[in-house]
Amino acid sequence: MDIEKLLELAEKVSGIALKASQSIMEIYTRTKIELEKKEDGSPVTEADLISHKILLEGLNSLDSRFCVLSEEGNPKPKLDEETFWLIDPLDGTKEFLNKNGDFTVNIALIQKGSPLMGIVSAPAKGELFKGILGVGAFKVNSEGQAEIKTKALNKELLTITVSRSHQTEKDRQVLKGLSKNFDKIEIIEAGSSLKLCRVAEGLADIYCRMGPTYQWDIAAGQAVAEAAGGTLKTLEGDDFFYTFDSEKKNPEFYCVGDSSFAWKTLFS
């Protein structure tokens, strides 16, 4: 897909993400939010389902050849399974329920296993992130749109972003291990794919995840981080490969802003 087409799609998809974000915020401001449990025990709200409906209708209207794989539904593949939309209508449902603002709408365009483009909207924060392969990454807020880039590593201070609600014992062990290689560690807690976006905009050096995640949790954020100059790898240093499979979980991974550092050695 050429750059001009990606740029055009990014603008249209951003509009769809903002429409879904608006519907989410209408529910977010309610005193009481209805909650149900899915088969796997994870929470789902009316906001998840309404956002899914808006995204599905919007993306299908852009190009009906591309199938949509969503956390809230698993439609059959269409003509082109190699290129598809991978979405999370409401990433960070727990953050949404706790009303701390750390939830997002994630939309990624996948081609041949890799994200070509990612849109991450953070409705409660008034932020939207765009990452376009071969173009760059951008942050949109009340002040307008600005290009964002990852930062070079300062070996005296490592800034790590970690999950606000889903830290595992292995996550804590990794943090302890990383602290041995740097003079000082700074921790930034965040929810949803905002952790990847914080790496993208240079507020954090690294985000690593040792707990279970699904493909739709990180694909859009990966596109933003990599378009900004970062990289996302498995702990073995391998690239991610996304497929049209609703059951596929991600391996443990790390996302870094400065890929010139030998991060893999820290996880060996």
Side-chain angles (χ1 to χ4, degrees), residues 8-267:
E8 181 183 346
L9 270 179
E11 290 308 307
K12 292 180 178 179
V13 174
S14 295
I16 295 169
L18 289 174
K19 184 178 179 181
S21 296
Q22 183 178 5
S23 72
I24 289 171
M25 289 305 295
E26 289 172 357
I27 298 171
Y28 184 67
T29 54
R30 292 178 186 172
T31 303
K32 184 178 180 181
I33 299 174
E34 296 297 328
L35 174 66
E36 297 180 6
K37 293 285 186 178
K38 293 190 283 190
E39 290 183 3
D40 63 1
S42 60
V44 63
T45 70
E46 181 185 356
D48 295 80
L49 301 178
I50 290 177
S51 177
H52 166 78
K53 184 175 183 292
I54 291 171
L55 296 183
L56 193 62
E57 291 176 351
L59 295 174
N60 280 334
S61 71
L62 294 181
D63 194 326
S64 60
R65 294 174 303 167
F66 301 159
C67 47
V68 181
L69 180 59
S70 168
E71 179 178 9
E72 304 308 334
N74 185 27
K76 294 180 180 178
K78 297 183 180 178
L79 297 178
D80 187 356
E81 189 178 346
E82 191 175 71
T83 304
F84 64 95
W85 298 106
L86 182 56
I87 67 172
D88 192 339
L90 179 51
D91 182 22
T93 301
K94 288 185 178 180
E95 316 302 337
F96 175 81
L97 292 169
N98 290 333
K99 296 200 172 186
N100 61 34
D102 277 9
F103 54 89
T104 58
V105 175
N106 302 338
I107 307 173
L109 180 62
I110 308 297
Q111 187 172 69
K112 296 182 179 179
S114 298
L116 284 181
M117 176 184 71
I119 305 296
V120 176
S121 173
K125 296 183 178 297
E127 299 174 342
L128 182 136
F129 296 87
K130 298 187 283 189
I132 308 166
L133 183 72
V135 176
F138 306 88
K139 181 178 180 178
V140 184
N141 57 22
S142 60
E143 298 178 359
Q145 175 172 294
E147 186 171 9
I148 56 174
K149 292 184 180 293
T150 59
K151 66 175 179 177
L153 180 65
N154 176 355
K155 295 184 180 179
E156 295 180 357
L157 171 64
L158 180 69
T159 304
I160 306 172
T161 182
V162 299
S163 175
R164 187 183 300 279
S165 302
H166 299 282
Q167 293 180 39
T168 67
E169 180 57 34
K170 193 169 184 181
D171 284 322
R172 289 184 279 273
Q173 290 299 320
V174 167
L175 291 178
K176 185 177 180 181
L178 288 173
S179 66
K180 297 177 182 178
N181 296 275
F182 297 88
D183 295 335
K184 186 178 179 181
I185 298 290
E186 180 180 311
I187 303 295
I188 299 175
E189 289 191 338
S192 67
S193 57
L194 279 171
K195 297 182 287 295
L196 295 163
C197 294
R198 298 310 179 217
V199 173
E201 61 181 328
L203 295 181
D205 295 301
I206 183 171
Y207 163 50
C208 48
R209 183 61 186 268
M210 304 299 118
T213 55
Y214 282 93
Q215 295 185 103
W216 44 68
D217 291 319
I218 68 169
Q222 178 184 351
V224 174
E226 293 191 338
T231 188
L232 188 147
K233 302 281 189 182
T234 70
L235 294 194
E236 291 72 36
D238 297 325
D239 293 329
F240 264 61
F241 190 85
Y242 295 95
T243 62
F244 194 85
D245 181 358
S246 64
E247 300 299 321
K248 184 179 179 183
K249 292 185 178 180
N250 300 318
E252 296 171 339
F253 67 88
Y254 62 87
C255 176
V256 296
D258 188 345
S259 57
S260 66
F261 183 73
W263 293 101
K264 181 181 174 181
T265 61
L266 304 184
F267 300 103

